[in-house]
Amino acid sequence: MSEPRVPASGTVHWIGAGLSTGSGLADLCARAARVRLWHRTAERAAGALDALGLTGRAEPRAYTLPALTAELAPGDVVVSMLPAPEHAPLLAACVAGRAHFACSSYVSDAVLELVPSAGRAGITVLTEAGLDPGIDHLFAHDLVARARSAIGADTPASYRLTSYCGGVPAVPNDFRYRFSWAPLGVLGALRSPARYIEDGAERGAARPWEATRRQTVGGETFEVYPNRDSVPFVEQYGLPVAWRAETFVRGTLRLDGWLRAWAPVFEELKAGDDERIAALARELAATYPTTDADRDRVVLVVSLEVDAGSGRVWSGSRLLDLVGDERESAMARCVSRTLALGVRHILDGVLPAGLSRAAETSERAAVWLRELAVEGLEFSPSPLRGPAV
């Protein structure tokens, strides 16, 4: 049984200041009572604050888990921008200190094991609150709710849901990519098998890039492929059991020509040598970095079509297409703004104790989308096409 939710103290500990930390941190500096930025050293934390124009608005700290634990108080919010394997130890410290936890990463098994303890401690565990995962969840919840209303949750139907997201160069290069997040993470994701639904059956791809196909978005051609395990999200998105999945894919979007340009990389990935892959990640990051002179672009498109037969078809989609500017990258804006919004809801006491994967209901998703639009993360809805009456 969960304890009453611990009231937020107003103090936010933001851990890490990498490529995805942007104006979301500035937003929290303006709204929270106190913000501490934890980085490898206090000097690097101070430098990151200076680069973001936040000197004097947050306290720089040198991060170690014991150092953070020593400063945690009940009701504080810990925001992790660290790699996913480091989330479980952080969450364990939060449970012990009765501090809330937030991150933009997928829920790992290690984090899931701690969720019951977090609920009993009365703390919120916010995950998957970034771009992908994050805004894609909001789009999906919104579309599913609209389709349920139009078709009826108890009406037998088939559906096609696709969700593709990618961070790509705003100005294409020969490699069709620039690294806007951890290069080893990019290669690691390509080495992870994918599971999805196609033609009404579950499919698997041991090498996700081998399932790449072309996709037209807003008149532009991209390449897309399945990523991770899509199947559990059927339940997470609340798709009615009376509806049968004809297609359900969550995946990655790349510029047209990416598959050809990355052919030498794929050959190395097939070898599966961890040491060589780590070296390759460093080489590629040095050759194709996102520099201060480059502008990145984020493209996220979620589409849903539901067919109840006899001409009763509902369809709709949501498109986010954003280019970075001299102030911050599109990736940093999308990830940090969405995460900061979730933290604000923790501070306001809106999110309950226990696990929340971004906004887990259509009602909350609608609120988040409205708030993100006000903050500049506007999306383009396609005309919703409903069944004839």
Side-chain angles (χ1 to χ4, degrees):
M1 182 175 179
S2 296
E3 293 293 321
R5 183 183 181 277
V6 177
S9 67
T11 296
V12 175
H13 303 266
W14 188 286
I15 306 174
L19 293 173
S20 292
T21 292
S23 56
L25 178 59
D27 176 78
L28 290 177
C29 286
R31 298 171 186 265
R34 171 182 287 175
V35 176
R36 295 183 177 122
L37 177 64
W38 298 79
H39 210 8
R40 291 187 182 91
T41 66
E43 291 75 19
R44 293 191 69 167
L49 290 172
D50 181 62
L52 293 167
L54 299 176
T55 299
R57 297 175 61 188
E59 304 168 16
R61 292 286 195 275
Y63 175 72
T64 65
L65 187 54
L68 171 72
T69 301
E71 294 203 37
L72 274 187
D76 286 1
V77 183
V78 172
V79 182
S80 177
M81 301 298 284
L82 300 178
E86 298 188 47
H87 290 163
L90 264 178
L91 179 54
C94 289
V95 171
R98 302 193 73 200
H100 306 287
F101 175 85
C103 71
S104 61
S105 301
Y106 286 101
V107 181
S108 66
D109 290 340
V111 166
L112 275 178
E113 290 179 3
L114 291 166
V115 166
S117 298
R120 290 190 294 270
I123 65 170
T124 298
V125 180
L126 173 65
T127 65
E128 302 182 14
L131 169 63
D132 171 12
I135 299 176
D136 57 340
H137 292 348
L138 308 182
F139 285 175
H141 280 300
D142 178 59
L143 291 170
V144 170
R146 293 173 185 273
R148 286 171 65 105
S149 177
I151 295 292
D154 297 326
T155 302
S158 63
Y159 66 87
R160 296 171 51 86
L161 189 150
T162 58
S163 177
Y164 294 112
C165 182
V168 300
V171 178
N173 58 356
D174 291 342
F175 194 54
R176 317 307 283 173
Y177 190 79
R178 288 193 182 278
F179 288 89
S180 59
W181 66 291
L184 191 57
V186 175
L187 299 185
L190 284 167
R191 299 175 77 193
S192 300
R195 187 167 69 121
Y196 55 101
I197 298 172
E198 188 174 66
D199 297 327
E202 288 190 13
R203 311 281 185 185
R207 298 167 178 165
W209 69 85
E210 294 180 349
T212 298
R213 64 180 183 81
R214 305 183 88 188
Q215 173 95 354
T216 300
V217 178
E220 184 176 354
T221 300
F222 295 93
E223 294 177 349
V224 297
Y225 60 91
N227 185 22
R228 299 178 182 266
D229 188 354
S230 297
V231 177
F233 292 90
V234 171
E235 180 179 357
Q236 183 170 325
Y237 291 163
L239 284 146
V241 294
W243 297 1
R244 180 179 60 85
E246 181 67 23
T247 300
F248 190 97
V249 183
R250 299 179 73 256
T252 300
L253 175 147
R254 293 289 182 247
L255 292 175
D256 191 28
W258 169 83
L259 191 66
R260 181 181 63 254
W262 276 55
V265 176
F266 300 143
E267 289 304 312
E268 299 231 34
L269 293 179
K270 291 177 184 178
D273 184 311
D274 291 344
E275 185 175 342
R276 172 56 192 146
I277 298 306
L280 177 63
R282 293 190 294 270
E283 294 167 13
L284 293 175
T287 307
Y288 304 105
T290 298
T291 70
D292 291 341
D294 295 312
R295 298 290 173 260
D296 71 327
R297 178 187 179 193
V298 162
V299 181
L300 165 63
V301 59
V302 181
S303 302
L304 174 63
E305 180 177 279
V306 182
D307 187 346
S310 302
R312 299 187 64 208
V313 178
W314 184 95
S315 65
S317 67
R318 299 285 181 265
L319 170 64
L320 175 67
D321 190 344
L322 183 68
V323 174
D325 56 31
E326 65 279 0
R327 293 169 297 177
E328 68 178 329
S329 69
M331 185 66 69
R333 186 179 310 167
C334 290
V335 174
S336 69
R337 279 284 180 178
T338 308
L339 184 54
L341 175 59
V343 173
R344 278 160 39 194
H345 284 306
I346 296 176
L347 294 172
D348 294 343
V350 174
L351 294 182
L355 180 64
S356 289
R357 294 177 172 94
E360 293 213 18
T361 67
S362 60
E363 293 80 10
R364 282 189 194 156
V367 171
W368 283 43
L369 287 173
R370 287 196 298 270
E371 292 174 327
L372 289 173
V374 169
E375 297 178 10
L377 294 184
E378 298 184 16
F379 60 92
S380 303
S382 72
L384 301 176
R385 185 162 60 89
V389 179

